[in-house]
Amino acid sequence: MAVTDETVSRVLNAVPQGLLIGGKWIGTEHTIDVENPATGQTIAQVADATPEQGIEALDAAVAAADDWAATDPRARGEVLRKAFELLTERAEDIALLMTLEMGKPLAEARGEVTYGAEFFRWFSEEAVRIAGRYSVAPSGGTRLLTMKQPVGPVYAITPWNFPLAMGTRKLGPAIAAGCTAIIKPAAQTPLTTLALAAVLIEAGLPDGVVNVITTSHSGAVSEPIIRDPRLRKLTFTGSTPVGRRLIEQSAQNVLKTSMELGGNAPFLVFADADLDKAVEGAMLAKMRNIGEACTAANRLLVHSSVAQEFAGKLAERMGAMTIGPGIEDGVQVGPLVDAAAVDKVTELVTDAVDRGATVLTGGTAIDGPGHFYPPTVLTGVGTDARVFTEEIFGPVAPIITFDTDDEGIAKANDTEYGLVAYAFTENLTRALTVAERLQTGMVGINQGIVSNPAAPFGGVKSSGLGREGGAEGIEEYLETKYVGIKL
């Protein structure tokens, strides 16, 4: 069913456009233009925070911290549960908002609402399961008591590619743990975060527990917040270079940090793999979110004995995908987020071709309005190509061959990143062996999507620190206190 202009206007007009500080929506002297990447046109203008307003948001979070930490866990959980229900009820509007500002097709945006809302439901249940322990010291004369307490005010920086899920994945455990927060969404996609904050307020979240700052000057606004000794936790999802700078800044006050950074995911297809399953898995791992995901399959490592057949099947599937604005019926591939993203993908494909790769489908940016690049399959890609070492963040599938398990695993691990890997094989022993040898925080065996609110999401090496989701996720927002009691 086509989306009408009236529906678009209604959804956009319902979004607050100011900063949220201490429960109040505040306008600013300057604004940020929000662009629809499918058309290149401005669809909204939101507040552009100054560094001083960033500190005001921290002031509000600090002021609300003690009361929120003392709030009953059940009450904190009920706020998240209500927010989950509101997001679920308004899934169509939230999905449309994401598609308008980020570009992903509506079907994928609906999936993100389901996925993102589930973090609120999951952590609403974890709020009442924060526990310590009581034990007898080995010497017998002392009792050992441990307790978990909220770490304190949190600064959460979220990316543009999953504007709802990255917000709920960070705010869910923070709220459940009893922390207050300031969240700063990416300048390209602020609308979904502003709508999310409005939902939390409607769900009963007290003033100041969550504050939102939108800004086009991320570094200038963020650094004073991070260097303020009242902040106690920094959580960031984004590129590894930016993450490194934030870690350096956070070192001054020894902040608790969690970082979900870049990826260069290998997708291994062994000789005994079911190729139809592998192609289906590659479609999910590569084309989810138009390839604009840190978990996207970045290097498709395929055993030489099945590489030609796999490449042909994958090219047929990717070449048949429907490209267009995400709000149109039947569209499977929306635009990339901006012109710079198209330029980067174009450079990477050109570099691979110049080094001997062959284009089976796609390979050239699409002329016209919007930032479109077609699904592309490359074969004959060497390890000297930039696509082997750099995160693509677009719908390009470079296929690299290997001849032995050891070679395949070595190529998979030949990267500074270690977020996720995928492996397709029908042999259980090989599956377990490969999973153990891959240097990543997550592994998908015979599946192209691993993200799940009930599982710990995160990487190793230059892909980050800490975990989000699962039973481990709330620990990132808690400190352990030990009390020794002499009897």
Side-chain angles (χ1 to χ4, degrees):
M1 182 171 157
V3 177
T4 65
D5 290 342
E6 290 77 11
T7 300
V8 169
S9 295
R10 176 182 60 78
V11 168
L12 290 174
N13 291 335
V15 180
Q17 297 182 344
L19 310 175
L20 178 61
I21 299 177
K24 297 181 174 61
W25 295 103
I26 299 171
T28 58
E29 181 180 355
H30 300 289
T31 58
I32 303 167
D33 289 342
V34 182
E35 177 188 287
N36 180 343
T39 64
Q41 297 177 345
T42 297
I43 56 173
Q45 293 180 316
V46 301
D48 193 357
T50 63
E52 292 75 18
Q53 287 167 321
I55 293 299
E56 289 174 13
L58 178 58
D59 292 341
V62 170
D66 287 347
D67 285 347
W68 186 243
T71 300
D72 294 342
R74 179 67 71 190
R76 299 198 300 259
E78 289 302 316
V79 170
L80 289 173
R81 178 70 191 202
K82 179 61 176 177
F84 160 77
E85 292 169 353
L86 290 172
L87 287 173
T88 302
E89 290 170 8
R90 298 169 192 174
E92 284 299 312
D93 286 357
I94 300 293
L96 176 57
L97 189 61
M98 276 194 285
T99 294
L100 290 170
E101 68 173 344
M102 184 265 156
K104 67 183 69 183
L106 270 175
E108 287 205 46
R110 293 184 187 108
E112 183 175 341
V113 175
T114 300
Y115 171 64
E118 190 64 29
F119 281 103
F120 277 180
R121 178 159 68 170
W122 174 264
F123 285 110
S124 75
E125 296 163 346
E126 290 296 288
V128 298
R129 297 189 175 92
I130 299 170
R133 62 185 175 88
Y134 177 89
S135 61
V136 178
S139 61
T142 300
R143 298 300 178 262
L144 312 180
L145 176 67
T146 61
M147 60 185 72
K148 299 294 180 69
Q149 296 180 314
V151 66
V154 174
Y155 187 38
I157 304 174
T158 58
W160 51 261
N161 57 340
F162 289 94
L164 179 73
M166 298 303 97
T168 58
R169 199 158 79 179
K170 296 180 187 302
L171 293 180
I175 292 169
C179 298
T180 57
I182 309 104
I183 184 168
K184 189 201 75 63
Q188 297 102 316
T189 57
L191 302 178
T192 303
T193 301
L194 293 168
L196 175 61
V199 164
L200 284 167
I201 291 171
E202 188 175 345
L205 194 70
D207 294 349
V209 175
V210 169
N211 306 272
V212 182
I213 52 173
T214 51
T215 182
S216 61
H217 307 286
S218 182
V221 171
S222 294
E223 185 167 358
I225 296 173
I226 295 168
R227 294 196 184 279
D228 192 301
R230 297 174 299 170
L231 188 75
R232 295 314 311 145
K233 160 78 178 178
L234 172 64
T235 175
F236 169 73
T237 296
S239 73
T240 295
V242 173
R244 288 192 175 110
R245 289 199 297 272
L246 294 175
I247 291 171
E248 289 177 357
Q249 293 171 16
S250 69
Q252 175 177 305
N253 293 318
V254 196
L255 295 183
K256 193 177 181 76
T257 60
S258 52
M259 298 273 162
E260 196 265 281
L261 306 177
N264 187 6
F267 186 98
L268 288 149
V269 181
F270 291 92
D272 66 338
D274 181 317
L275 289 190
D276 290 333
K277 289 181 183 177
V279 169
E280 188 63 36
M283 292 295 295
L284 292 171
K286 177 74 261 181
M287 293 307 299
R288 182 188 182 206
N289 216 53
I290 324 164
E292 295 175 313
C294 53
T295 56
N298 213 58
R299 298 165 297 149
L300 281 72
L301 304 170
V302 186
H303 193 274
S304 56
S305 65
V306 296
Q308 183 175 353
E309 183 180 358
F310 175 85
K313 288 175 178 284
L314 183 63
E316 182 179 0
R317 287 285 301 276
M318 289 181 62
M321 299 184 80
T322 303
I323 306 168
I327 64 172
E328 293 184 1
D329 288 342
V331 166
Q332 298 167 294
V333 183
L336 299 184
V337 71
D338 54 27
V342 176
D343 291 343
K344 178 186 177 184
V345 171
T346 299
E347 287 180 11
L348 292 175
V349 170
T350 300
D351 172 78
V353 171
D354 288 346
R355 295 174 188 274
T358 299
V359 178
L360 293 192
T361 188
T364 304
I366 299 172
D367 292 331
H371 311 303
F372 292 93
Y373 197 93
T376 297
V377 176
L378 304 174
T379 58
V381 178
T383 57
D384 61 337
R386 288 174 57 193
V387 290
F388 186 81
T389 57
E390 297 182 29
E391 193 169 21
I392 300 168
F393 244 62
V396 177
I399 296 177
I400 301 138
T401 60
F402 66 90
D403 291 316
T404 67
D405 288 11
D406 285 345
E407 181 190 359
I409 293 168
K411 286 183 174 179
N413 289 336
D414 185 16
T415 173
E416 67 172 307
Y417 300 103
L419 184 61
V420 64
Y422 308 90
F424 280 74
T425 174
E426 294 297 295
N427 183 292
L428 179 59
T429 298
R430 172 178 283 130
L432 291 174
T433 301
V434 169
E436 290 177 357
R437 293 179 64 188
L438 288 168
Q439 297 169 2
T440 57
M442 301 175 288
V443 179
I445 299 296
N446 292 331
Q447 61 180 25
I449 293 179
V450 297
S451 303
N452 191 305
F457 186 103
V460 299
K461 299 196 290 188
S462 293
S463 286
L465 306 164
R467 295 295 181 267
E468 296 183 308
E472 296 83 356
I474 201 166
E475 294 293 331
E476 301 289 339
Y477 297 83
L478 296 167
E479 294 284 16
T480 300
K481 178 181 286 185
Y482 153 63
V483 180
I485 306 167
K486 180 67 174 178
L487 297 186

